[in-house]
Structure formats: structure tokens, C-alpha cells
Amino acid sequence: MTKSPSMPRRWAMAAALSALIGACAATPQASPSNPGTPGTDTGSIPATPPPSSPPPAAGPQPGDPVGTPGVAFSGATGTYTPSGNRDMDIWREDFTARAEAQGRNPAVVYAILEGISPLDLYLSEDVNVASTGIADQAEFAKAIWDYLRTAVTTYRFETGAEKLAEYDAVFDVLEQTYGVDREAISAIWAMETNYGSYIGNYDAANTLSNMAVEGRRRSFAEGQLLALMKIVENGFADREQLGSGWAGAMGQTQFMPTTYLAYAQDYDGDGHANIWNYAPDALASAAHYLSASGYQMGEPWGIEVLAPSNFDWSYADGNDRRMATWRSLGLSPIRGGSFGVDDATYAELWLPAGATGPKYLLFKNFDVFKTYNNANSYALAVGLLTDGLQGKYGPVAAWPTDIPRLTNREVMTLQQTLNDLGYSAGPVDGIAGSGTKAALQAFQKDRGMVADGYASKPALEAVLAAAGS
């Protein structure tokens, strides 16, 4: 399920599954309200802080955990303790049989599933199923400037600088081993768990079992449970370590179990990948994931730009063009100087808040950030944190907070009206994604308006006026 977007478009929205679990191949998506940790799947109780000092500089060689080869997991098996929920007990018996038929160790199956119990988050009759939709994610529901206000903070810059100094030797190794800039790794660490301070107070096995019993994501949840079993069978981590956030993501850099199996790393060579309370293992795992997703060390994720007064904003259409084209159209870095990338490099022009707000050329590393959480606002926050940890704070341009945004219902009205007028906005779902943006741009261009595709109240009023004329 890991998605590394290809060149033509980055505005495609995550599917409904990613609404609950975000870019679940790497991490579940946004957490309930943890102070200063939007965009993460964590609990609300601070975890035990990670060790305060990195391991001694003895030439560590990070790599895949080897676990405990040749040592078979052993333990109790037998009748489960009733969970108090009939549906859960029936599912558990059935899933146990299927897991063992797939070759899972019966003692591990029992260790994972004994003691599970219903969570109101998933199985209460009062749960509003609709409230878990993608439109309710912080990355999609908030104005981007409001989202960034709690994601890109002074605290995160100051703490990030402290962590970069504290783990300087570790980051030296990670940059050399994986080719990922330390500031980018730290920015992910900040976004996911506030540098390891909020890793969740749920049990991954229980959370995923509840998800399976609830039913809408049963296949996904069961796959993650099987991955948990493999983690324990292989000795990569102990059963007692498998804490998670509310959707099953684990550790300081919030890996789903399948992602852990694919990318978790052992920094110090002890055989285990302790992403929960050993920061070097967690950071090496995140670096490995970013590297495998195509991160380009030393390359920009995005550059904030200026444009000439007569610029045609319909070029902000989600397509990549060579830097030679962007230069010829008059774009320049807002901070002055050169772009620092050659003419053959591809980039996309992105207007996160329309033509009057900050404007960016986006590069490959922005796509890589989105493999962690498939939301543009999340990737922008990671990028701004990365830049700030390098001493470049942004954005330089001001956000257009004076332009009224649309509510979810108003976006649906905009979509339906554009569809009625013959501009294909796609599903009427209240999410102003790529289809809505392209349809609105086409409408604006046909009428000689600024074709930035920004779903605002003035844009809605213009579309409604056209429909009524």
C-alpha cells in the first residue's frame, strides 16, 4: 500500500481507507488531539521519554533486525478469556484458526489475542461511523494556515535543534547509511510523535482486533495482526512492546506492523528494532523508509517562488514541468538568488491557498514525504520543519486569511454546480481535491478569471451566479 506518486499529479486524494489510517503503509493518520502533534496517530498520554544519550560511537552498522534465529517462541495456548463482546469472541476463534492454518505459531497467536477487549472507539453503539471520513482529518478539514500553526511551532524548532545536537553522531551514521538529510528525519519524528514524547497508549493487537471486529477494515486489520505475530515470532520485538496509537501505528516514528516488517532497522546491532523507546532504532527505521521511497539527499522538497503580475495561474494544474519552463515563465525564488537545480529537473507549481497566498515549486522529496501521510498539508509541514531546522523559516508570503474558506457542505455545492455546468469535478464528497480544482480552473479560465482553482467563497459565488444566469 506504500504509494510513491509518479510525476504527473500529486493532488490525488487518499482513498477512504487512508481516512482512518492515513498513509497506513508507513503510519496511520491524524491523531485525536495531542497538544502540538497534529498529523499523527498517537494516544494522549506521554510515553516514557527515549534514552537521553545515543549509543557510544563504536562504528554502528544499522541494518535489518535479525531477531532470535533458531529460537522458537514458546508460551501458553488454550482457551481464551472471554472479552465481554460476543462478536469479538466469535471473530477471535475464527481468526485464530485461520492464522494457525497460515503457519503462525499457536503460542504467538495466543499471546497476541489473549486479553483483547472491546474499545468504545470502535465498538460502542454511540460511535459515529461517518466521523472517521477523510474530510474530518486535520490535514483536510482545517485551513492550511491553522493546520501549520499547530504543526510548525517554535517548540518543534527548538526541540529539534536540541535533538540534532544530542544525536549528532547517530545522524552522521544515518545520513551516510541511508542518504537522507537529518533535518528531514527529525521533521518526520516531530510530526509523528513530537520527538518520541507521545507514542500512544493503546495495545496494537487490541486496537487492530477491534478494527477487525468493527468490520469496515477487517482485511487490512487482520493483515496487520498477522504482521504483529511475525514480529514476535522472529524475535524482532517482544509482545509487551507492541504499544500503538489509536489506529495501530507503533513507536516513535509510527509504523504499521507491515511497514515495521519491511523497513524497521536495528541501529546498534543488538538484533532487535526497538522503535518504541530507543530513538536510534526508530530514526534509522524512518530513514530507511524515506530512502526506499526515493528521497534525494541534499535536494529541495520545495521552493517558495515569486511570479510576474501577468502570470497564468492555470499552470498550477498538478503537472510537472522542467525548471527551464518555469524560469522562462518568470518564476523566481522568493528569497532571491538561484534555484540551485538544473534546467532539466522537473517540478510542479502548487498554490496551497490560491494565487494570493504562498506559492511553491514542488520536487521529488515532497512526494516522498507524502508516502508517510498522503496529504499535501502534512508534507508541507514536514518540509517547513525541515527547512526551519536548517535555519530557513517559511513561508515568506502571508496566508490569505481574509478570503473566506468553504465548509464541507459548501464544497459539495461547488462540486455539484460545477458538474451541472459541464465541468467535471468528480464525486460530490466535500473534498476539494484534484478534480474539483481542475474543474474550477477550467470554469475560471473560460470566464477570464484568475484560474487558480482555489475553492473559496468568492469562487463559489461566481459558480452559483453562472448557474443562475
Side-chain angles (χ1 to χ4, degrees):
M1 294 181 61
T2 301
K3 181 173 184 287
S4 183
S6 58
M7 192 172 293
R9 284 192 178 273
R10 296 185 179 89
W11 276 86
M13 285 291 185
L17 173 61
S18 67
L20 178 65
I21 59 174
C24 58
T27 83
Q29 65 116 44
S31 114
S33 53
N34 277 329
T37 56
T40 64
D41 165 32
T42 57
S44 57
I45 298 177
T48 302
S52 59
S53 59
Q61 299 293 322
D64 295 338
V66 297
T68 52
V71 180
F73 182 94
S74 62
T77 59
T79 304
Y80 291 114
T81 304
S83 69
N85 181 292
R86 181 174 179 273
D87 290 340
M88 177 169 279
D89 291 341
I90 292 172
W91 166 83
R92 178 168 56 182
E93 292 295 336
D94 175 69
F95 181 59
T96 294
R98 288 185 283 121
E100 292 179 0
Q102 292 185 41
R104 302 280 60 82
N105 183 325
V108 173
V109 176
Y110 185 84
I112 292 292
L113 298 179
E114 168 62 10
I116 63 173
S117 60
L119 296 171
D120 287 347
L121 176 67
Y122 289 97
L123 299 180
S124 170
E125 293 180 358
D126 296 329
V127 171
N128 179 5
V129 172
S131 69
T132 62
I134 194 170
D136 297 297
Q137 288 181 235
E139 291 90 346
F140 298 101
K142 286 185 175 182
I144 194 164
W145 48 86
D146 289 333
Y147 176 80
L148 294 174
R149 188 176 297 119
T150 55
V152 183
T153 63
T154 299
Y155 170 82
R156 285 184 170 172
F157 287 130
E158 292 175 347
T159 304
E162 294 170 0
K163 295 297 184 183
L164 287 171
E166 180 181 351
Y167 291 96
D168 181 60
V170 172
F171 283 116
D172 283 345
V173 173
L174 299 185
E175 288 186 336
Q176 182 177 4
T177 303
Y178 302 105
V180 180
D181 294 291
R182 63 188 65 203
E183 294 86 2
I185 302 169
S186 297
I188 292 288
W189 194 19
M191 288 294 292
E192 292 303 314
T193 62
N194 235 13
Y195 302 105
S197 63
Y198 288 88
I199 66 172
N201 63 325
Y202 293 89
D203 175 67
N206 194 40
T207 295
L208 293 165
S209 294
N210 273 263
M211 190 185 297
V213 175
E214 190 272 340
R216 288 175 299 143
R217 287 158 295 275
R218 176 165 294 178
S219 177
F220 167 79
E222 290 182 348
Q224 298 301 321
L225 285 164
L226 291 171
L228 278 183
M229 294 171 186
K230 292 177 184 178
I231 290 169
V232 175
E233 285 178 10
N234 292 334
F236 297 156
D238 296 332
R239 169 66 182 94
E240 294 74 20
Q241 289 179 291
L242 304 179
S244 75
W246 64 278
M250 307 183 301
Q252 295 187 37
T253 46
Q254 295 289 275
F255 274 11
M256 294 303 291
T258 51
T259 307
Y260 179 101
L261 283 177
Y263 299 104
Q265 295 286 275
D266 170 19
Y267 177 85
D268 60 355
D270 68 352
H272 308 290
N274 182 359
I275 65 173
W276 294 268
N277 54 21
Y278 187 58
D281 280 2
L283 298 174
S285 300
H288 186 213
Y289 182 79
L290 293 172
S291 176
S293 298
Y295 188 89
Q296 301 295 310
M297 188 171 177
E299 297 296 320
W301 61 270
I303 298 174
E304 190 177 355
V305 296
L306 290 172
S309 58
N310 61 345
F311 189 81
D312 180 359
W313 295 110
S314 66
Y315 280 104
D317 57 5
N319 288 312
D320 289 82
R321 295 175 174 85
R322 293 183 186 275
M323 285 300 298
T325 300
W326 295 124
R327 288 188 176 99
S328 71
L329 292 170
L331 296 187
S332 60
I334 197 169
R335 299 177 190 273
S338 67
F339 282 108
V341 292
D342 63 45
D343 282 350
T345 302
Y346 281 91
E348 171 200 337
L349 178 60
W350 181 44
L351 312 177
T356 60
K359 310 156 188 69
Y360 289 91
L361 286 178
L362 301 179
F363 300 88
K364 172 65 178 177
N365 286 342
F366 188 85
D367 291 336
V368 173
F369 295 154
K370 288 181 67 176
T371 65
Y372 228 103
N373 182 320
N374 193 23
N376 287 306
S377 53
Y378 175 90
L380 177 59
V382 172
L384 293 175
L385 285 168
T386 298
D387 284 353
L389 291 170
Q390 295 172 339
K392 300 176 293 185
Y393 300 97
V396 176
W399 294 107
T401 57
D402 57 323
I403 299 177
R405 294 178 66 250
L406 299 182
T407 66
N408 178 264
R409 187 168 295 278
E410 287 172 330
V411 172
M412 295 175 71
T413 300
L414 175 66
Q415 293 168 325
Q416 185 61 62
T417 309
L418 285 168
N419 286 337
D420 293 343
L421 289 171
Y423 298 94
S424 179
V428 179
D429 56 8
I431 303 166
S434 59
T436 304
K437 181 175 181 286
L440 180 55
Q441 278 186 310
F443 169 87
Q444 291 168 327
K445 195 163 188 177
D446 284 349
R447 286 158 178 77
M449 303 167 63
V450 173
D452 61 3
Y454 183 50
S456 64
K457 286 190 185 291
L460 175 60
E461 290 168 358
V463 170
L464 290 174
S469 61

